Protein backbone atom coordinates (compact mmCIF):
# COMPACT_ATOMS: atom_id res chain seq x y z
CA UNK A 1 0.00 0.00 0.00
CA UNK A 2 1.10 3.53 -0.76
CA UNK A 3 2.35 5.41 2.27
CA UNK A 4 -0.40 7.89 2.91
CA UNK A 5 -1.98 8.60 6.27
CA UNK A 6 -4.69 10.98 7.33
CA UNK A 7 -5.22 12.38 10.79
CA UNK A 8 -7.44 12.47 12.65
CA UNK A 9 -9.64 9.64 11.36
CA UNK A 10 -12.71 10.96 13.16
CA UNK A 11 -13.51 14.38 14.55
CA UNK A 12 -16.52 16.10 16.01
CA UNK A 13 -16.33 19.86 16.25
CA UNK A 14 -18.61 22.79 16.95
CA UNK A 15 -19.89 25.28 14.43
CA UNK A 16 -17.61 28.27 14.07
CA UNK A 17 -14.42 26.59 15.25
CA UNK A 18 -11.36 26.15 13.02
CA UNK A 19 -10.38 22.62 12.11
CA UNK A 20 -7.21 21.30 10.49
CA UNK A 21 -6.91 17.92 8.80
CA UNK A 22 -3.52 16.49 8.00
CA UNK A 23 -2.35 14.31 5.13
CA UNK A 24 1.11 12.77 5.28
CA UNK A 25 2.83 10.80 2.53
CA UNK A 26 6.07 8.84 2.39
CA UNK A 27 6.08 8.36 -1.42
CA UNK A 28 7.60 11.71 -2.41
CA UNK A 29 4.79 12.23 -4.94
CA UNK A 30 4.43 15.66 -6.47
CA UNK A 31 0.65 15.95 -6.38
CA UNK A 32 -1.57 15.90 -3.32
CA UNK A 33 -5.34 16.37 -3.29
CA UNK A 34 -8.16 16.95 -0.86
CA UNK A 35 -11.63 15.67 -1.73
CA UNK A 36 -14.88 15.53 0.14
CA UNK A 37 -17.33 12.68 -0.32
CA UNK A 38 -21.05 13.18 0.19
CA UNK A 39 -23.96 10.89 -0.75
CA UNK A 40 -25.20 11.65 -4.24
CA UNK A 41 -22.24 13.86 -5.06
CA UNK A 42 -19.37 11.41 -5.37
CA UNK A 43 -15.96 12.91 -4.68
CA UNK A 44 -15.53 16.61 -5.20
CA UNK A 45 -12.16 18.28 -5.38
CA UNK A 46 -11.53 20.93 -2.74
CA UNK A 47 -7.91 21.94 -3.33
CA UNK A 48 -4.83 20.36 -4.69
CA UNK A 49 -1.09 20.91 -4.65
CA UNK A 50 1.41 20.43 -7.45
CA UNK A 51 4.49 21.17 -5.36
CA UNK A 52 5.71 22.75 -2.15
CA UNK A 53 3.83 26.02 -1.66
CA UNK A 54 2.03 25.49 -5.00
CA UNK A 55 -1.70 24.98 -4.65
CA UNK A 56 -4.84 25.50 -6.69
CA UNK A 57 -8.58 25.52 -6.04
CA UNK A 58 -10.97 22.78 -6.92
CA UNK A 59 -14.71 22.96 -7.52
CA UNK A 60 -15.74 23.30 -3.83
CA UNK A 61 -12.98 25.42 -2.29
CA UNK A 62 -15.11 28.05 -0.49
CA UNK A 63 -14.58 27.89 3.27
CA UNK A 64 -11.39 25.85 2.97
CA UNK A 65 -7.72 26.70 2.81
CA UNK A 66 -4.65 24.53 2.36
CA UNK A 67 -0.95 24.66 2.95
CA UNK A 68 1.98 22.59 1.81
CA UNK A 69 5.26 23.62 3.41
CA UNK A 70 6.92 20.22 2.90
CA UNK A 71 6.60 17.64 0.17
CA UNK A 72 5.18 15.07 2.57
CA UNK A 73 2.48 17.12 4.30
CA UNK A 74 -0.70 18.72 2.96
CA UNK A 75 -2.98 20.44 5.45
CA UNK A 76 -6.64 21.27 4.96
CA UNK A 77 -8.12 23.96 7.20
CA UNK A 78 -11.76 24.77 7.69
CA UNK A 79 -11.50 28.35 8.80
CA UNK A 80 -14.86 28.44 10.58
CA UNK A 81 -16.61 25.09 10.43
CA UNK A 82 -20.26 24.94 9.34
CA UNK A 83 -22.73 22.05 9.37
CA UNK A 84 -22.56 21.90 5.57
CA UNK A 85 -18.93 20.84 5.93
CA UNK A 86 -19.91 17.64 7.71
CA UNK A 87 -18.49 15.06 5.35
CA UNK A 88 -15.87 12.41 4.77
CA UNK A 89 -12.61 13.94 3.61
CA UNK A 90 -10.11 12.03 1.52
CA UNK A 91 -6.54 12.89 0.75
CA UNK A 92 -4.90 11.46 -2.36
CA UNK A 93 -1.41 11.50 -3.83
CA UNK A 94 -0.21 11.08 -7.39
CA UNK A 95 3.03 11.10 -9.32
CA UNK A 96 1.37 13.02 -12.13
CA UNK A 97 -0.69 11.05 -14.65
CA UNK A 98 -3.77 10.97 -12.48
CA UNK A 99 -3.64 7.48 -11.04
CA UNK A 100 -3.90 8.34 -7.40
CA UNK A 101 -3.53 6.59 -4.07
CA UNK A 102 -6.06 7.45 -1.42
CA UNK A 103 -5.93 7.70 2.32
CA UNK A 104 -8.47 6.01 4.56
CA UNK A 105 -10.51 9.14 5.02
CA UNK A 106 -11.45 11.48 7.87
CA UNK A 107 -15.04 11.56 9.05
CA UNK A 108 -15.81 15.11 10.20
CA UNK A 109 -19.00 16.03 12.01
CA UNK A 110 -19.81 19.67 12.67
CA UNK A 111 -22.47 20.13 15.35
CA UNK B 1 -14.12 21.63 -19.29
CA UNK B 2 -13.62 17.96 -18.63
CA UNK B 3 -16.36 16.09 -16.82
CA UNK B 4 -17.62 12.60 -16.17
CA UNK B 5 -21.17 11.23 -16.11
CA UNK B 6 -21.97 7.84 -14.64
CA UNK B 7 -25.29 6.46 -15.81
CA UNK B 8 -27.18 4.78 -13.00
CA UNK B 9 -26.46 5.46 -9.35
CA UNK B 10 -27.31 1.87 -8.43
CA UNK B 11 -26.89 -1.37 -10.38
CA UNK B 12 -28.04 -4.77 -9.12
CA UNK B 13 -26.94 -8.10 -10.60
CA UNK B 14 -27.05 -11.74 -9.63
CA UNK B 15 -23.92 -13.66 -8.82
CA UNK B 16 -22.45 -14.97 -12.07
CA UNK B 17 -24.16 -12.35 -14.23
CA UNK B 18 -22.48 -9.77 -16.42
CA UNK B 19 -21.55 -6.51 -14.75
CA UNK B 20 -21.83 -3.34 -16.86
CA UNK B 21 -21.23 0.08 -15.33
CA UNK B 22 -21.54 3.03 -17.67
CA UNK B 23 -19.36 6.10 -17.89
CA UNK B 24 -19.35 8.93 -20.41
CA UNK B 25 -16.85 11.75 -20.42
CA UNK B 26 -16.45 15.13 -22.00
CA UNK B 27 -13.01 16.37 -22.80
CA UNK B 28 -11.54 18.81 -25.28
CA UNK B 29 -8.29 16.88 -25.41
CA UNK B 30 -7.47 13.16 -25.42
CA UNK B 31 -8.31 12.09 -21.90
CA UNK B 32 -6.75 9.86 -19.34
CA UNK B 33 -9.58 7.80 -17.85
CA UNK B 34 -9.82 5.75 -14.70
CA UNK B 35 -12.09 3.44 -12.74
CA UNK B 36 -11.78 3.31 -8.97
CA UNK B 37 -13.53 1.06 -6.47
CA UNK B 38 -14.46 1.86 -2.89
CA UNK B 39 -15.37 -0.84 -0.37
CA UNK B 40 -17.34 0.17 2.73
CA UNK B 41 -15.46 2.43 5.13
CA UNK B 42 -12.35 2.44 2.99
CA UNK B 43 -10.56 4.78 0.63
CA UNK B 44 -10.61 4.38 -3.13
CA UNK B 45 -8.33 2.03 -5.01
CA UNK B 46 -7.47 2.02 -8.68
CA UNK B 47 -9.14 -0.69 -10.78
CA UNK B 48 -7.76 0.27 -14.18
CA UNK B 49 -6.71 3.20 -16.33
CA UNK B 50 -6.57 4.26 -19.95
CA UNK B 51 -3.86 6.64 -21.09
CA UNK B 52 -2.87 5.89 -24.68
CA UNK B 53 -2.57 2.83 -26.89
CA UNK B 54 -4.85 -0.19 -26.65
CA UNK B 55 -8.45 0.83 -26.14
CA UNK B 56 -9.40 -2.30 -24.18
CA UNK B 57 -7.89 -2.04 -20.75
CA UNK B 58 -7.72 -4.87 -18.25
CA UNK B 59 -7.68 -4.23 -14.54
CA UNK B 60 -7.68 -6.07 -11.27
CA UNK B 61 -10.26 -8.61 -10.12
CA UNK B 62 -11.32 -9.51 -13.69
CA UNK B 63 -12.63 -6.07 -14.64
CA UNK B 64 -12.00 -4.43 -17.97
CA UNK B 65 -13.05 -1.25 -19.75
CA UNK B 66 -13.10 -0.12 -23.34
CA UNK B 67 -12.30 3.41 -24.45
CA UNK B 68 -14.59 4.43 -27.32
CA UNK B 69 -13.70 7.85 -28.60
CA UNK B 70 -16.63 8.02 -31.04
CA UNK B 71 -19.06 7.44 -28.18
CA UNK B 72 -17.03 9.34 -25.53
CA UNK B 73 -17.51 6.32 -23.31
CA UNK B 74 -15.42 4.21 -20.94
CA UNK B 75 -17.76 1.52 -19.65
CA UNK B 76 -16.61 -0.99 -17.04
CA UNK B 77 -17.45 -4.68 -17.45
CA UNK B 78 -16.89 -8.00 -15.77
CA UNK B 79 -18.16 -11.26 -17.32
CA UNK B 80 -19.24 -12.90 -14.06
CA UNK B 81 -20.07 -11.07 -10.86
CA UNK B 82 -18.90 -12.27 -7.46
CA UNK B 83 -20.42 -11.34 -4.13
CA UNK B 84 -17.13 -9.65 -3.26
CA UNK B 85 -17.62 -7.17 -6.15
CA UNK B 86 -20.31 -5.35 -4.19
CA UNK B 87 -18.92 -1.85 -3.73
CA UNK B 88 -19.14 1.67 -5.07
CA UNK B 89 -17.42 2.37 -8.39
CA UNK B 90 -16.19 5.71 -9.62
CA UNK B 91 -15.19 6.77 -13.09
CA UNK B 92 -12.69 9.62 -13.31
CA UNK B 93 -10.95 11.80 -15.87
CA UNK B 94 -7.57 13.40 -15.50
CA UNK B 95 -7.56 17.11 -16.19
CA UNK B 96 -4.40 18.86 -17.30
CA UNK B 97 -4.12 22.58 -16.75
CA UNK B 98 -1.47 25.18 -16.03
CA UNK B 99 -1.38 24.13 -12.40
CA UNK B 100 -0.80 20.51 -13.24
CA UNK B 101 -3.05 17.49 -12.98
CA UNK B 102 -6.35 17.14 -11.18
CA UNK B 103 -8.59 14.08 -11.08
CA UNK B 104 -12.32 14.72 -11.58
CA UNK B 105 -14.78 12.02 -10.48
CA UNK B 106 -18.26 11.00 -11.45
CA UNK B 107 -20.92 10.64 -8.78
CA UNK B 108 -20.42 6.92 -8.42
CA UNK B 109 -22.40 3.75 -9.03
CA UNK B 110 -23.22 1.34 -6.23
CA UNK B 111 -23.05 -2.28 -7.36
CA UNK B 112 -25.13 -4.83 -5.46
CA UNK B 113 -24.65 -8.55 -6.05
CA UNK B 114 -27.27 -11.04 -4.94
CA UNK B 115 -26.89 -14.79 -4.55
Amino acid sequence: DAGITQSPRHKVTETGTPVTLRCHQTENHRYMYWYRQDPGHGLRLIHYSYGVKDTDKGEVSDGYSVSRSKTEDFLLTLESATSSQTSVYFCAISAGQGDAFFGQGTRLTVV
Amino acid sequence: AQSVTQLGSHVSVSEGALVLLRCNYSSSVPPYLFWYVQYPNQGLQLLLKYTTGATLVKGINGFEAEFKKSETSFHLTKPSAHMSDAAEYFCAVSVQNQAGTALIFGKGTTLSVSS
Side-chain angles (χ1 to χ4, degrees):
Chain A
D1 289 346
I4 175 170
T5 55
Q6 293 184 228
S7 59
R9 294 291 313 280
H10 301 271
K11 186 169 181 65
V12 179
T13 192
E14 293 185 349
T15 299
T17 60
V19 177
T20 295
L21 309 182
R22 179 180 184 239
C23 179
H24 179 79
Q25 64 151 325
T26 58
E27 304 295 323
N28 201 35
H29 281 344
R30 177 183 177 190
Y31 293 93
M32 300 185 76
Y33 308 87
W34 277 108
Y35 291 89
R36 61 177 289 174
Q37 184 176 24
D38 304 288
H41 291 278
L43 279 84
R44 292 180 290 175
L45 182 63
I46 304 172
H47 284 278
Y48 68 103
S49 169
Y50 49 99
V52 174
K53 298 185 179 179
D54 292 323
T55 65
D56 202 3
K57 296 179 179 180
E59 64 178 307
V60 290
S61 59
D62 287 349
Y64 302 94
S65 62
V66 290
S67 65
R68 191 171 180 197
S69 58
K70 299 184 290 184
T71 298
E72 57 266 36
D73 290 325
F74 192 34
L75 304 180
L76 176 71
T77 297
L78 288 65
E79 293 138 9
S80 177
T82 68
S83 58
S84 65
Q85 293 175 312
T86 292
S87 187
V88 180
Y89 292 84
F90 285 98
C91 177
I93 61 174
S94 172
Q97 283 199 337
D99 41 338
F101 298 98
F102 281 78
Q104 293 296 300
T106 295
R107 187 173 296 275
L108 177 68
T109 304
V110 183
V111 298
Chain B
Q2 284 88 337
S3 66
V4 171
T5 301
Q6 291 184 241
L7 304 176
S9 59
H10 199 156
V11 171
S12 298
V13 299
S14 299
E15 195 171 22
L18 171 72
V19 175
L20 171 60
L21 305 183
R22 300 178 187 271
C23 173
N24 287 90
Y25 69 90
S26 70
S27 176
S28 57
V29 297
Y32 289 176
L33 295 162
F34 306 82
W35 276 98
Y36 284 82
V37 61
Q38 183 181 33
Y39 298 103
N41 299 313
Q42 294 188 25
L44 280 72
Q45 63 183 83
L46 182 66
L47 264 183
L48 49 80
K49 67 177 180 181
Y50 168 79
T51 54
T52 57
T55 57
L56 182 62
V57 180
K58 295 187 184 297
I60 62 173
N61 300 337
F63 284 93
E64 62 183 36
E66 186 171 10
F67 170 64
K68 292 187 176 180
K69 184 178 179 181
S70 61
E71 299 177 7
T72 61
S73 68
F74 191 57
H75 301 330
L76 182 70
T77 60
K78 182 173 180 177
S80 176
H82 292 181
M83 297 292 288
S84 59
D85 294 327
E88 190 160 19
Y89 293 81
F90 293 93
C91 184
V93 63
S94 179
V95 175
Q96 300 281 344
N97 57 40
Q98 291 182 334
T101 302
L103 200 58
I104 304 301
F105 287 86
K107 294 186 177 181
T109 298
T110 300
L111 176 65
S112 299
V113 183
S114 58
S115 57

